[in-house]
Amino acid sequence: MIDTRLDWSSFLGRHDLTWSVKPVSWDQGAFIGNGWLGAMVYGEEHRLKRNVLRFVLGRTDVTARRPDGGFSPRVPIGELHLELAGWIYQPTSMRLHLWDAELKAEITTTAGAVKLRAIAHSREMVMAVELETSEGEGSAAFRWYPYSEVDPILHNADGRNLNQYIPEEEVTRSVKNGIEIALTAFKPDGTGGCATAWAEIELDGVSTGFDRRRILYLSVMNGANETSAEQAMEAVNVARRQPWDAWVSQHRSWWHAYYPQSFLSIPDTQLEGFYWIQMYKLASATRSDGMMIDNQGPWLTSSPWPGVWFNMNVQMSYSPVYASNRLELGMSLVKAFREQFDQLALNVPEEYRQDSAGLGRSCSYDLVSPVDDEKGNLLWVCHNLWRQYRYSMDADLLKELLYPLLRRAVRFHMRLLAEGEDGLFHLPPTISPEYGSFLQLTVPDAHYDLALLEWGIRTLLRISEPSERDGIAEATGLGAERQEWTETLGRLAPLPVDETGYMIGRGQPLAFGHRHFSHLMAAFPLHTANMDSEEERALINRSLRHWFSREGDLRGFTFTGASSIAATIGLGDEAHAYLKSLLHILKSNTMYKEAGPVIESPLAGAEAIHDMLLQSWGEWIRVFPALPGTWKEAAFHDLRAEGAFLVSALRSSGKTSWIRVKSLAGMPCRLITDMTDGASVTASGGAKAIPLGDGRFELMLAKGEEIVLSGVKAAGNPALGNGDRLPQVRPVAAELHLCGYFGGFKPWRLYGIPIWTAE
């Protein structure tokens, strides 16, 4: 049970992002967001702009139509500037409070001082900045600049990418009922754009040393038309008419309900802080009714990839929502594919559209992306949807989306198969993502496509079993189709292997650096390799060694994939080492950027931490399956496992001391742990734990029942109840010098030089 005395504000406070000088780039900025609207906050060192604090705005659904064709990309929308009387100087401090999802700053300038608080409201489409100014900064002013009106000095501050499409803008300004409005229409056709509305109010009551207090409310709506303008104005009106403290309290209440959906604490304070920042970032980037996570979330900057990419980016971005018990965030992916289901059939050649579907590499939110030589992307998305289903056991999701979509995605691949001289079915040359990209290298029987097809067929056979159909049995011809799936699976070419391990494809070994794990999909994330086979585990280990021996083109997602693969085969120290390497190539605010921002790598890092603590593939729940040898203590509460189980566990003195499993759907449950068969069992209702030997248990749980395995028998009644005194989940002791590590660049903290103190 989670310690009811846990002070979430204090616990998350030790991981707040902190700055002791102003951030001066996107790489260092403080970020806020509500799933649609977001801002990256930082300053500028150019002598003409040292008085400006920038709020670089983004709204995820604002796209522009390219006159030369291609998908409609995300585009920058503009900036809110706090223009100060003096240059930003010392001392200046900023802190992004995770628990309240608020940015607070105290800024000294050469003319005076300002204090501010900024939020992207969790329940309304409004960003607000509360500002207090000293006498010398009384003239400080907020100004909104559409992107076309931002000073070129600032346009170039984070670099320019000549591959990025930036539309011409036509800006129309007006004022209505005290609210300023800017309609920004994208040329040449004016069909895209946004409406921005903002207003400022004065408030009484200031902090000591300050003379003036005010609040700016700002809203951005998609569309450059009067309807969008009215919506933005109404959002600002609703916000400014409410008492400020009550409005902020409403914002906080969403976040205070969000964080406790699960809890984890580990003895690596730097990595623990990174994890909780990703949980904040995840909910800032999407919501259940929002747009799916693209390559950058609401924080768009200079980028060649202002859209959604499906050869890993979207899939990896959503990977942490499942085990973290934050399934509502995964519903934005479900929503996107429900809404665009028909388009997925249009992405394949016309002769296949009656029963097939596919997805190319990149597109806008409309999913218009014809399939080229990279074939398997939709199958990988289906794996995410499968996880959403398996962790929730949502029968409607299975019937209405997952089954019909997976059926079409598998059929598309089956149409590509051809019988070889060996009597087996083979795939034609396809792209293994990111391998030989500039060569447009294709290989037959690519591991990427073969592994995904095998997983897809096995999954279709499973969910179409008479005992598992749950409403899909009415599909005509299902018996014949099941027979075809079975025959295809039995004759499917094996994954190509050589002495180095898994190959890219038939006849193509891994010959040079490869940043993607597309040739290791059977190990992760699909987990279709037989992990009970020592030979198969050795093959994965050998493949992992060879992959990293080539070095070369290793990126952030390379290390997250390697960490999860190592965790899959129980290599905790190695999984940890890959994650620590990842931290060295992230930005100081935990963002990640190559030629442009790509959000999936840090988010997938959170999933890799889950994989060290809890895994639930292959019909077994594995508790603490891959901890580093130095992690003698660890704790988690209400992480979620396949079959819709909530799992909590404690590790003490290098051993698992306590595990609780609660069933939300009454599914079969099998557990692997390092606890012995003699563990004490405490159960609710008729729940039972049957020891199978070697730390394995069969748990018999009806919906709503739970079982606790403990090394020490609980006091009181052997059934769960108020009289029981079970161990409680509490945070692991923190390494103080690594608290508040992220935000501003602080590499010296790794060596314990300064000591962090609570606010």
Side-chain angles (χ1 to χ4, degrees), residues 49-365:
K49 295 295 179 181
R50 287 185 183 172
N51 67 317
V52 175
L53 188 67
R54 306 168 66 186
F55 292 75
V56 181
L57 270 290
R59 180 167 164 129
T60 54
D61 57 349
V62 177
T63 61
R65 184 181 300 171
R66 297 178 64 106
D68 57 352
F71 71 78
S72 298
R74 288 272 308 277
V75 292
I77 60 174
E79 303 184 12
L80 173 70
H81 289 176
L82 173 57
E83 298 179 349
L84 301 163
W87 284 3
I88 299 176
Y89 196 56
Q90 302 284 9
T92 284
S93 67
M94 295 174 60
R95 184 168 182 150
L96 183 52
H97 292 255
L98 298 177
W99 176 238
D100 291 334
E102 297 176 5
L103 172 64
K104 294 183 179 179
E106 295 189 14
I107 299 172
T108 302
T109 77
T110 54
V114 299
K115 181 187 293 187
L116 64 84
R117 173 168 51 160
I119 64 173
H121 200 278
S122 59
R123 300 173 186 272
E124 300 179 21
M125 202 59 63
V126 177
M127 187 186 83
V129 186
E130 178 189 30
L131 181 69
E132 293 183 76
T133 55
S134 69
E135 182 178 0
E137 281 292 348
S139 63
F142 289 111
R143 290 188 174 85
W144 165 255
Y145 295 93
Y147 184 77
S148 59
E149 297 179 10
V150 174
D151 193 299
I153 291 172
L154 302 179
H155 269 178
N156 298 329
D158 288 311
R160 299 193 70 179
N161 195 297
L162 298 179
N163 294 315
Q164 185 171 11
Y165 174 67
I166 304 294
E168 293 185 46
E169 296 180 348
E170 181 177 335
V171 181
T172 305
R173 292 178 178 267
S174 60
V175 179
K176 186 175 181 180
N177 298 326
I179 299 177
E180 296 188 64
I181 305 151
L183 275 180
T184 304
F186 299 149
K187 295 181 178 180
D189 56 11
T191 58
C194 61
T196 306
W198 65 97
E200 199 173 310
I201 65 171
E202 294 276 347
L203 291 178
D204 296 327
V206 292
S207 304
T208 302
F210 294 87
D211 299 299
R212 184 183 178 195
R213 180 177 174 226
R214 50 199 146 132
I215 299 171
L216 180 119
Y217 297 92
L218 181 146
S219 180
V220 181
M221 296 292 176
N222 188 17
N225 51 57
E226 288 302 319
T227 299
S228 298
E230 290 292 336
Q231 290 172 341
M233 288 174 54
E234 179 62 17
V236 170
N237 258 331
V238 169
R240 69 175 179 169
R241 288 171 180 166
Q242 298 180 60
W244 169 247
D245 289 341
W247 193 71
V248 171
S249 180
Q250 292 171 11
H251 160 75
R252 291 175 174 176
S253 67
W254 188 93
W255 286 95
H256 294 176
Y258 166 77
Y259 284 115
Q261 291 175 109
S262 65
F263 168 86
L264 68 78
S265 183
I266 53 181
D268 184 329
T269 302
Q270 183 193 27
L271 205 55
E272 180 183 276
F274 163 79
Y275 175 85
W276 284 105
I277 294 167
Q278 303 325 298
M279 293 300 102
Y280 165 78
K281 185 186 297 178
L282 191 62
S284 299
T286 193
R287 295 295 169 82
S288 61
D289 61 347
M291 309 300 289
M292 74 177 121
I293 305 174
D294 62 359
N295 276 22
Q296 53 276 306
W299 310 288
L300 180 67
T301 187
S302 177
S303 173
W305 309 303
V308 283
W309 258 249
F310 288 103
N311 62 349
M312 73 155 159
N313 304 77
V314 168
Q315 295 92 326
M316 293 178 70
S317 292
Y318 279 94
S319 64
V321 307
Y322 311 113
S324 70
N325 195 26
R326 305 180 196 280
L327 295 181
E328 79 281 1
L329 300 182
M331 291 305 293
S332 59
L333 182 65
V334 172
K335 170 177 169 284
F337 278 76
R338 274 181 171 154
E339 291 176 349
Q340 304 300 334
F341 186 95
D342 292 342
Q343 174 58 48
L344 298 167
L346 299 178
N347 288 336
V348 301
E350 187 173 358
E351 62 269 27
Y352 298 162
R353 291 175 183 171
Q354 62 181 359
D355 59 8
S356 301
L359 187 63
R361 177 177 296 182
S362 56
C363 56
S364 190
Y365 298 111

Side-chain angles (χ1 to χ4, degrees), residues 379-668:
L379 279 171
W380 194 355
V381 172
C382 286
H383 184 260
N384 281 72
L385 299 176
W386 167 252
R387 294 189 73 189
Q388 183 83 22
Y389 162 66
R390 283 289 294 155
Y391 282 73
S392 65
M393 299 309 299
D394 180 347
D396 290 337
L397 171 61
L398 174 67
K399 291 183 292 186
E400 297 170 7
L401 179 63
L402 174 57
Y403 175 72
L405 187 59
L406 180 59
R407 192 180 180 198
R408 280 181 164 269
V410 165
R411 176 58 57 186
F412 175 58
H413 274 69
M414 288 175 62
R415 284 180 170 272
L416 303 175
L417 293 172
E419 185 176 357
E421 294 180 359
D422 55 4
L424 300 177
F425 291 131
H426 295 268
L427 284 170
T430 60
I431 286 176
S432 181
E434 308 291 342
Y435 190 76
S437 296
F438 293 107
L439 300 175
Q440 291 294 299
L441 182 66
T442 61
V443 294
D445 288 340
H447 178 110
Y448 181 70
D449 289 292
L450 271 179
L452 283 162
L453 177 56
E454 178 187 351
W455 168 81
I457 294 175
R458 290 188 184 279
T459 303
L460 283 175
L461 287 169
R462 172 176 176 169
I463 61 182
S464 62
E465 283 280 356
S467 60
E468 299 279 345
R469 288 177 185 170
D470 202 4
I472 64 172
E474 69 275 13
T476 59
L478 186 56
E481 198 165 13
R482 278 182 53 82
Q483 183 177 353
E484 185 182 7
W485 293 334
T486 302
E487 292 175 355
T488 301
L489 188 63
R491 295 176 59 192
L492 193 63
L495 298 172
V497 172
D498 68 3
E499 67 279 1
T500 66
Y502 287 122
M503 302 170 70
I504 298 295
R506 178 159 45 94
Q508 180 60 63
L510 178 65
F512 49 83
H514 182 27
R515 56 188 180 181
H516 203 304
F517 47 90
S518 56
H519 66 301
L520 289 162
M521 297 287 287
F524 172 82
L526 303 177
H527 297 120
T528 50
N530 180 11
M531 296 303 174
D532 290 330
S533 164
E534 287 298 325
E535 182 179 357
E536 196 84 1
R537 293 168 65 87
L539 171 63
I540 294 170
N541 199 354
R542 189 164 72 249
S543 304
L544 184 58
R545 298 280 171 274
H546 179 65
W547 182 26
F548 266 74
S549 74
R550 313 314 284 172
E551 293 189 330
D553 194 17
L554 305 183
R555 301 298 176 98
F557 50 85
T558 316
F559 292 97
T560 66
S563 179
S564 289
I565 291 167
T568 293
I569 55 177
L571 302 178
D573 288 315
E574 191 164 336
H576 184 229
Y578 289 126
L579 278 180
K580 297 296 276 189
S581 297
L582 167 70
L583 297 184
H584 285 290
I585 58 178
L586 296 180
K587 304 306 179 183
S588 61
N589 57 5
T590 80
M591 290 292 183
Y592 176 68
K593 186 174 13 173
E594 295 172 12
V598 273
I599 199 173
E600 83 293 315
S601 289
L603 292 178
E607 171 71 345
I609 294 173
H610 293 152
D611 288 337
M612 298 166 73
L613 299 173
L614 180 71
Q615 299 175 26
S616 61
W617 46 269
E619 309 306 319
W620 289 91
I621 296 173
R622 299 160 179 83
V623 177
F624 297 131
L627 295 191
T630 56
W631 288 14
K632 305 302 180 184
E633 314 290 325
F636 63 83
H637 177 69
D638 279 357
L639 292 185
R640 191 177 276 247
E642 287 193 20
F645 297 98
L646 296 181
V647 185
S648 305
L650 284 175
R651 190 166 181 86
S652 180
S653 301
K655 294 183 179 180
T656 304
S657 59
W658 175 84
I659 300 170
R660 187 202 73 165
V661 180
K662 181 176 182 178
S663 174
L664 302 181
M667 299 299 294

Side-chain angles (χ1 to χ4, degrees), residues 13-56:
R14 73 192 197 185
H15 301 309
D16 288 345
L17 294 91
T18 61
W19 294 259
S20 54
V21 295
K22 70 173 179 182
V24 293
S25 69
W26 186 95
D27 298 2
Q28 304 171 9
F31 53 95
I32 56 176
N34 64 7
W36 295 81
L37 182 65
M40 185 68 79
V41 185
Y42 53 103
E44 167 59 37
E45 279 298 271
H46 192 285
R47 63 184 180 84
L48 298 179
K49 295 295 179 181
R50 287 185 183 172
N51 67 317
V52 175
L53 188 67
R54 306 168 66 186
F55 292 75
V56 181

